[in-house]
Amino acid sequence: MVPQVETVEDAKHIVSAAKFGKKINGTRSAPPGRWLPGISDIGVDPKQTLWTNLNDQAAIIIQVESKEAVDNLDDILTEAGEHIDAVWLGSLDCRVSMGLPGFWGEEPEFLAVLETLNRALRKHDMPYAGAALGTPEQMKAMGAGKAFTAVQGDVFSIVAAAQENLKIAREVMPAVNISAANKKAREQDK
């Protein structure tokens, strides 16, 4: 998953970096560890070569995160879509770039961006991906039509764990009034 894909050139570079072999303009190295006889040298599709299978297993999800990126999406998918597996709308970044608040909304200009995105995805038969967070209603709205969604993130787990640990700490450790403690220690020192 690669963020901030704005142009056809960005997408072509990403595909090249994720794939190997001159036939598809791949620039990454072939994965030699996958050629272990009898273990990992068997492709998923027996009609294809091992290398074609391995290239097909490298999923590429591009993130479009601005109105300009969405406006370029049809061209991006026309030029590089053969090797792109899904498009993720970075709705927060897109909305920030448009001067709009929050992760999601019903503003006419944002709805127009969504329509442009959906039109390009339908034209290229491309799966739609993205976050679906918030209240159940927000999750439903944000997840509509997406083939792949993230409904949780590591930051939420970290925050929840921190909140739980803070609650426990407050229960087992009494609050300390530093001024009172210092005053008492000074009195004991006398």
Side-chain angles (χ1 to χ4, degrees), residues 18-170:
K19 304 289 184 169
F20 60 90
K22 292 291 181 194
K23 286 183 181 178
I24 60 171
N25 197 32
T27 56
R28 68 162 282 201
S29 61
R34 289 298 309 269
W35 201 337
L36 300 173
I39 298 171
S40 64
D41 65 337
I42 301 167
V44 175
D45 181 351
K47 296 179 191 130
Q48 296 183 22
T49 68
L50 170 64
W51 304 121
T52 302
N53 272 286
L54 294 177
N55 257 333
D56 287 350
Q57 292 169 11
I60 298 173
I61 301 172
I62 62 169
Q63 291 179 255
V64 290
E65 301 181 275
S66 69
K67 179 184 182 308
E68 292 74 22
V70 173
D71 288 344
N72 291 332
L73 186 58
D74 182 40
D75 291 338
I76 289 169
L77 295 177
T78 297
E79 295 291 322
E82 176 184 0
H83 299 293
I84 294 172
D85 297 289
V87 174
W88 179 289
L89 173 64
S91 60
L92 177 61
D93 286 326
C94 184
R95 289 177 62 79
V96 167
S97 78
M98 297 173 69
L100 300 172
F103 277 93
W104 206 254
E106 300 294 322
E107 301 87 355
E109 62 268 37
F110 184 64
L111 295 177
V113 166
L114 293 177
E115 180 51 38
T116 301
L117 172 88
N118 285 314
R119 190 172 36 256
L121 295 174
R122 284 190 304 269
K123 177 181 177 182
H124 295 277
D125 194 25
M126 180 64 58
Y128 179 23
L133 306 168
T135 66
E137 295 80 20
Q138 290 168 324
M139 287 177 76
K140 184 176 179 181
M142 291 176 73
K146 292 180 180 169
F148 171 70
T149 59
V151 297
Q152 175 67 292
D154 56 357
V155 70
F156 300 111
S157 297
I158 292 167
V159 169
Q163 289 296 326
E164 182 61 24
N165 287 338
L166 185 57
K167 178 181 172 225
I168 292 168
R170 286 181 174 147

Side-chain angles (χ1 to χ4, degrees), residues 175-188:
V176 175
N177 180 328
I178 298 298
S179 296
N182 285 341
K183 182 179 177 182
K184 184 176 180 181
R186 280 193 306 268
E187 289 172 1
Q188 289 176 350

